[in-house]
mmCIF file with all atom_site columns, all heavy atoms in Angstrom:
data_model
loop_
_atom_site.group_PDB
_atom_site.id
_atom_site.type_symbol
_atom_site.label_atom_id
_atom_site.label_alt_id
_atom_site.label_comp_id
_atom_site.label_asym_id
_atom_site.label_entity_id
_atom_site.label_seq_id
_atom_site.pdbx_PDB_ins_code
_atom_site.Cartn_x
_atom_site.Cartn_y
_atom_site.Cartn_z
_atom_site.occupancy
_atom_site.B_iso_or_equiv
_atom_site.pdbx_formal_charge
_atom_site.auth_seq_id
_atom_site.auth_comp_id
_atom_site.auth_asym_id
_atom_site.auth_atom_id
_atom_site.pdbx_PDB_model_num
ATOM 1   N N   . GLY A 1 84 ? 1.781  25.473 -13.310 1.00 96.00 ? 84 GLY A N   1
ATOM 2   C CA  . GLY A 1 84 ? 2.605  26.459 -14.010 1.00 96.00 ? 84 GLY A CA  1
ATOM 3   C C   . GLY A 1 84 ? 4.005  26.080 -13.837 1.00 96.00 ? 84 GLY A C   1
ATOM 4   O O   . GLY A 1 84 ? 4.389  25.078 -13.193 1.00 96.00 ? 84 GLY A O   1
ATOM 5   N N   . VAL A 1 85 ? 4.921  26.891 -14.324 1.00 95.00 ? 85 VAL A N   1
ATOM 6   C CA  . VAL A 1 85 ? 6.357  26.684 -14.262 1.00 95.00 ? 85 VAL A CA  1
ATOM 7   C C   . VAL A 1 85 ? 6.792  26.597 -12.784 1.00 95.00 ? 85 VAL A C   1
ATOM 8   O O   . VAL A 1 85 ? 7.573  25.651 -12.452 1.00 95.00 ? 85 VAL A O   1
ATOM 9   C CB  . VAL A 1 85 ? 7.117  27.767 -15.048 1.00 95.00 ? 85 VAL A CB  1
ATOM 10  C CG1 . VAL A 1 85 ? 8.641  27.597 -14.812 1.00 95.00 ? 85 VAL A CG1 1
ATOM 11  C CG2 . VAL A 1 85 ? 6.805  27.652 -16.526 1.00 95.00 ? 85 VAL A CG2 1
ATOM 12  N N   . THR A 1 86 ? 6.321  27.428 -11.960 1.00 96.00 ? 86 THR A N   1
ATOM 13  C CA  . THR A 1 86 ? 6.798  27.416 -10.591 1.00 96.00 ? 86 THR A CA  1
ATOM 14  C C   . THR A 1 86 ? 6.337  26.089 -9.896  1.00 96.00 ? 86 THR A C   1
ATOM 15  O O   . THR A 1 86 ? 7.080  25.544 -9.149  1.00 96.00 ? 86 THR A O   1
ATOM 16  C CB  . THR A 1 86 ? 6.129  28.635 -9.837  1.00 96.00 ? 86 THR A CB  1
ATOM 17  O OG1 . THR A 1 86 ? 6.613  29.858 -10.476 1.00 96.00 ? 86 THR A OG1 1
ATOM 18  C CG2 . THR A 1 86 ? 6.640  28.691 -8.355  1.00 96.00 ? 86 THR A CG2 1
ATOM 19  N N   . ASP A 1 87 ? 5.171  25.674 -10.176 1.00 96.00 ? 87 ASP A N   1
ATOM 20  C CA  . ASP A 1 87 ? 4.671  24.372 -9.591  1.00 96.00 ? 87 ASP A CA  1
ATOM 21  C C   . ASP A 1 87 ? 5.562  23.243 -10.022 1.00 96.00 ? 87 ASP A C   1
ATOM 22  O O   . ASP A 1 87 ? 5.934  22.401 -9.264  1.00 96.00 ? 87 ASP A O   1
ATOM 23  C CB  . ASP A 1 87 ? 3.269  24.154 -9.993  1.00 96.00 ? 87 ASP A CB  1
ATOM 24  C CG  . ASP A 1 87 ? 2.262  25.243 -9.601  1.00 96.00 ? 87 ASP A CG  1
ATOM 25  O OD1 . ASP A 1 87 ? 2.348  25.668 -8.451  1.00 96.00 ? 87 ASP A OD1 1
ATOM 26  O OD2 . ASP A 1 87 ? 1.540  25.639 -10.464 1.00 96.00 ? 87 ASP A OD2 1
ATOM 27  N N   . ILE A 1 88 ? 5.846  23.270 -11.335 1.00 96.00 ? 88 ILE A N   1
ATOM 28  C CA  . ILE A 1 88 ? 6.689  22.132 -11.901 1.00 96.00 ? 88 ILE A CA  1
ATOM 29  C C   . ILE A 1 88 ? 8.055  22.209 -11.228 1.00 96.00 ? 88 ILE A C   1
ATOM 30  O O   . ILE A 1 88 ? 8.583  21.086 -10.773 1.00 96.00 ? 88 ILE A O   1
ATOM 31  C CB  . ILE A 1 88 ? 6.862  22.342 -13.437 1.00 96.00 ? 88 ILE A CB  1
ATOM 32  C CG1 . ILE A 1 88 ? 5.521  22.201 -14.088 1.00 96.00 ? 88 ILE A CG1 1
ATOM 33  C CG2 . ILE A 1 88 ? 7.846  21.335 -14.024 1.00 96.00 ? 88 ILE A CG2 1
ATOM 34  C CD1 . ILE A 1 88 ? 5.472  22.716 -15.567 1.00 96.00 ? 88 ILE A CD1 1
ATOM 35  N N   . ALA A 1 89 ? 8.656  23.384 -11.051 1.00 96.00 ? 89 ALA A N   1
ATOM 36  C CA  . ALA A 1 89 ? 9.989  23.462 -10.431 1.00 96.00 ? 89 ALA A CA  1
ATOM 37  C C   . ALA A 1 89 ? 9.892  22.923 -8.989  1.00 96.00 ? 89 ALA A C   1
ATOM 38  O O   . ALA A 1 89 ? 10.804 22.221 -8.557  1.00 96.00 ? 89 ALA A O   1
ATOM 39  C CB  . ALA A 1 89 ? 10.398 24.913 -10.450 1.00 96.00 ? 89 ALA A CB  1
ATOM 40  N N   . ASP A 1 90 ? 8.829  23.265 -8.306  1.00 96.00 ? 90 ASP A N   1
ATOM 41  C CA  . ASP A 1 90 ? 8.623  22.762 -6.817  1.00 96.00 ? 90 ASP A CA  1
ATOM 42  C C   . ASP A 1 90 ? 8.594  21.287 -6.836  1.00 96.00 ? 90 ASP A C   1
ATOM 43  O O   . ASP A 1 90 ? 9.195  20.582 -6.003  1.00 96.00 ? 90 ASP A O   1
ATOM 44  C CB  . ASP A 1 90 ? 7.414  23.402 -6.233  1.00 96.00 ? 90 ASP A CB  1
ATOM 45  C CG  . ASP A 1 90 ? 7.591  24.854 -5.912  1.00 96.00 ? 90 ASP A CG  1
ATOM 46  O OD1 . ASP A 1 90 ? 8.682  25.331 -5.900  1.00 96.00 ? 90 ASP A OD1 1
ATOM 47  O OD2 . ASP A 1 90 ? 6.537  25.497 -5.625  1.00 96.00 ? 90 ASP A OD2 1
ATOM 48  N N   . VAL A 1 91 ? 7.864  20.737 -7.787  1.00 94.00 ? 91 VAL A N   1
ATOM 49  C CA  . VAL A 1 91 ? 7.620  19.266 -7.786  1.00 94.00 ? 91 VAL A CA  1
ATOM 50  C C   . VAL A 1 91 ? 8.966  18.476 -8.068  1.00 94.00 ? 91 VAL A C   1
ATOM 51  O O   . VAL A 1 91 ? 9.240  17.469 -7.464  1.00 94.00 ? 91 VAL A O   1
ATOM 52  C CB  . VAL A 1 91 ? 6.546  18.777 -8.843  1.00 94.00 ? 91 VAL A CB  1
ATOM 53  C CG1 . VAL A 1 91 ? 6.573  17.313 -9.100  1.00 94.00 ? 91 VAL A CG1 1
ATOM 54  C CG2 . VAL A 1 91 ? 5.221  19.298 -8.371  1.00 94.00 ? 91 VAL A CG2 1
ATOM 55  N N   . VAL A 1 92 ? 9.736  18.990 -9.037  1.00 93.00 ? 92 VAL A N   1
ATOM 56  C CA  . VAL A 1 92 ? 10.961 18.261 -9.412  1.00 93.00 ? 92 VAL A CA  1
ATOM 57  C C   . VAL A 1 92 ? 12.188 18.743 -8.658  1.00 93.00 ? 92 VAL A C   1
ATOM 58  O O   . VAL A 1 92 ? 13.282 18.231 -8.795  1.00 93.00 ? 92 VAL A O   1
ATOM 59  C CB  . VAL A 1 92 ? 11.216 18.301 -10.866 1.00 93.00 ? 92 VAL A CB  1
ATOM 60  C CG1 . VAL A 1 92 ? 10.088 17.569 -11.651 1.00 93.00 ? 92 VAL A CG1 1
ATOM 61  C CG2 . VAL A 1 92 ? 11.434 19.669 -11.446 1.00 93.00 ? 92 VAL A CG2 1
ATOM 62  N N   . GLY A 1 93 ? 12.053 19.783 -7.813  1.00 94.00 ? 93 GLY A N   1
ATOM 63  C CA  . GLY A 1 93 ? 13.128 20.243 -6.946  1.00 94.00 ? 93 GLY A CA  1
ATOM 64  C C   . GLY A 1 93 ? 14.200 21.023 -7.692  1.00 94.00 ? 93 GLY A C   1
ATOM 65  O O   . GLY A 1 93 ? 15.419 20.740 -7.435  1.00 94.00 ? 93 GLY A O   1
ATOM 66  N N   . CYS A 1 94 ? 13.809 21.894 -8.575  1.00 94.00 ? 94 CYS A N   1
ATOM 67  C CA  . CYS A 1 94 ? 14.811 22.776 -9.151  1.00 94.00 ? 94 CYS A CA  1
ATOM 68  C C   . CYS A 1 94 ? 14.206 24.161 -9.280  1.00 94.00 ? 94 CYS A C   1
ATOM 69  O O   . CYS A 1 94 ? 13.141 24.437 -8.825  1.00 94.00 ? 94 CYS A O   1
ATOM 70  C CB  . CYS A 1 94 ? 15.164 22.287 -10.583 1.00 94.00 ? 94 CYS A CB  1
ATOM 71  S SG  . CYS A 1 94 ? 13.883 22.212 -11.788 1.00 94.00 ? 94 CYS A SG  1
ATOM 72  N N   . SER A 1 95 ? 14.952 25.076 -9.976  1.00 95.00 ? 95 SER A N   1
ATOM 73  C CA  . SER A 1 95 ? 14.455 26.409 -10.006 1.00 95.00 ? 95 SER A CA  1
ATOM 74  C C   . SER A 1 95 ? 13.429 26.601 -11.139 1.00 95.00 ? 95 SER A C   1
ATOM 75  O O   . SER A 1 95 ? 13.461 25.815 -12.153 1.00 95.00 ? 95 SER A O   1
ATOM 76  C CB  . SER A 1 95 ? 15.594 27.406 -10.201 1.00 95.00 ? 95 SER A CB  1
ATOM 77  O OG  . SER A 1 95 ? 16.150 27.236 -11.471 1.00 95.00 ? 95 SER A OG  1
ATOM 78  N N   . ARG A 1 96 ? 12.650 27.635 -10.993 1.00 94.00 ? 96 ARG A N   1
ATOM 79  C CA  . ARG A 1 96 ? 11.695 28.016 -12.046 1.00 94.00 ? 96 ARG A CA  1
ATOM 80  C C   . ARG A 1 96 ? 12.440 28.314 -13.375 1.00 94.00 ? 96 ARG A C   1
ATOM 81  O O   . ARG A 1 96 ? 12.051 27.951 -14.476 1.00 94.00 ? 96 ARG A O   1
ATOM 82  C CB  . ARG A 1 96 ? 10.918 29.266 -11.585 1.00 94.00 ? 96 ARG A CB  1
ATOM 83  C CG  . ARG A 1 96 ? 9.922  29.807 -12.508 1.00 94.00 ? 96 ARG A CG  1
ATOM 84  C CD  . ARG A 1 96 ? 9.251  31.052 -11.882 1.00 94.00 ? 96 ARG A CD  1
ATOM 85  N NE  . ARG A 1 96 ? 8.174  31.528 -12.675 1.00 94.00 ? 96 ARG A NE  1
ATOM 86  C CZ  . ARG A 1 96 ? 8.328  32.125 -13.836 1.00 94.00 ? 96 ARG A CZ  1
ATOM 87  N NH1 . ARG A 1 96 ? 9.483  32.416 -14.293 1.00 94.00 ? 96 ARG A NH1 1
ATOM 88  N NH2 . ARG A 1 96 ? 7.296  32.566 -14.493 1.00 94.00 ? 96 ARG A NH2 1
ATOM 89  N N   . GLN A 1 97 ? 13.595 29.012 -13.237 1.00 95.00 ? 97 GLN A N   1
ATOM 90  C CA  . GLN A 1 97 ? 14.387 29.392 -14.383 1.00 95.00 ? 97 GLN A CA  1
ATOM 91  C C   . GLN A 1 97 ? 14.971 28.138 -15.054 1.00 95.00 ? 97 GLN A C   1
ATOM 92  O O   . GLN A 1 97 ? 15.046 28.153 -16.315 1.00 95.00 ? 97 GLN A O   1
ATOM 93  C CB  . GLN A 1 97 ? 15.534 30.311 -13.968 1.00 95.00 ? 97 GLN A CB  1
ATOM 94  C CG  . GLN A 1 97 ? 15.118 31.725 -13.475 1.00 95.00 ? 97 GLN A CG  1
ATOM 95  C CD  . GLN A 1 97 ? 14.549 31.652 -12.012 1.00 95.00 ? 97 GLN A CD  1
ATOM 96  O OE1 . GLN A 1 97 ? 14.695 30.723 -11.332 1.00 95.00 ? 97 GLN A OE1 1
ATOM 97  N NE2 . GLN A 1 97 ? 13.880 32.799 -11.681 1.00 95.00 ? 97 GLN A NE2 1
ATOM 98  N N   . ASN A 1 98 ? 15.259 27.111 -14.332 1.00 94.00 ? 98 ASN A N   1
ATOM 99  C CA  . ASN A 1 98 ? 15.772 25.916 -14.897 1.00 94.00 ? 98 ASN A CA  1
ATOM 100 C C   . ASN A 1 98 ? 14.698 25.239 -15.767 1.00 94.00 ? 98 ASN A C   1
ATOM 101 O O   . ASN A 1 98 ? 14.981 24.854 -16.917 1.00 94.00 ? 98 ASN A O   1
ATOM 102 C CB  . ASN A 1 98 ? 16.269 24.938 -13.747 1.00 94.00 ? 98 ASN A CB  1
ATOM 103 C CG  . ASN A 1 98 ? 16.947 23.726 -14.297 1.00 94.00 ? 98 ASN A CG  1
ATOM 104 O OD1 . ASN A 1 98 ? 17.074 23.576 -15.498 1.00 94.00 ? 98 ASN A OD1 1
ATOM 105 N ND2 . ASN A 1 98 ? 17.370 22.900 -13.400 1.00 94.00 ? 98 ASN A ND2 1
ATOM 106 N N   . ILE A 1 99 ? 13.511 25.176 -15.244 1.00 93.00 ? 99 ILE A N   1
ATOM 107 C CA  . ILE A 1 99 ? 12.396 24.561 -16.035 1.00 93.00 ? 99 ILE A CA  1
ATOM 108 C C   . ILE A 1 99 ? 12.110 25.361 -17.289 1.00 93.00 ? 99 ILE A C   1
ATOM 109 O O   . ILE A 1 99 ? 12.056 24.896 -18.403 1.00 93.00 ? 99 ILE A O   1
ATOM 110 C CB  . ILE A 1 99 ? 11.151 24.405 -15.174 1.00 93.00 ? 99 ILE A CB  1
ATOM 111 C CG1 . ILE A 1 99 ? 11.342 23.428 -14.040 1.00 93.00 ? 99 ILE A CG1 1
ATOM 112 C CG2 . ILE A 1 99 ? 9.885  23.991 -16.070 1.00 93.00 ? 99 ILE A CG2 1
ATOM 113 C CD1 . ILE A 1 99 ? 11.638 22.035 -14.497 1.00 93.00 ? 99 ILE A CD1 1
#
Side-chain angles (χ1 to χ4, degrees):
V85 171
T86 302
D87 304 310
I88 297 165
D90 288 345
V91 167
V92 297
C94 65
S95 71
R96 178 183 186 286
Q97 292 77 14
N98 187 358
I99 294 297

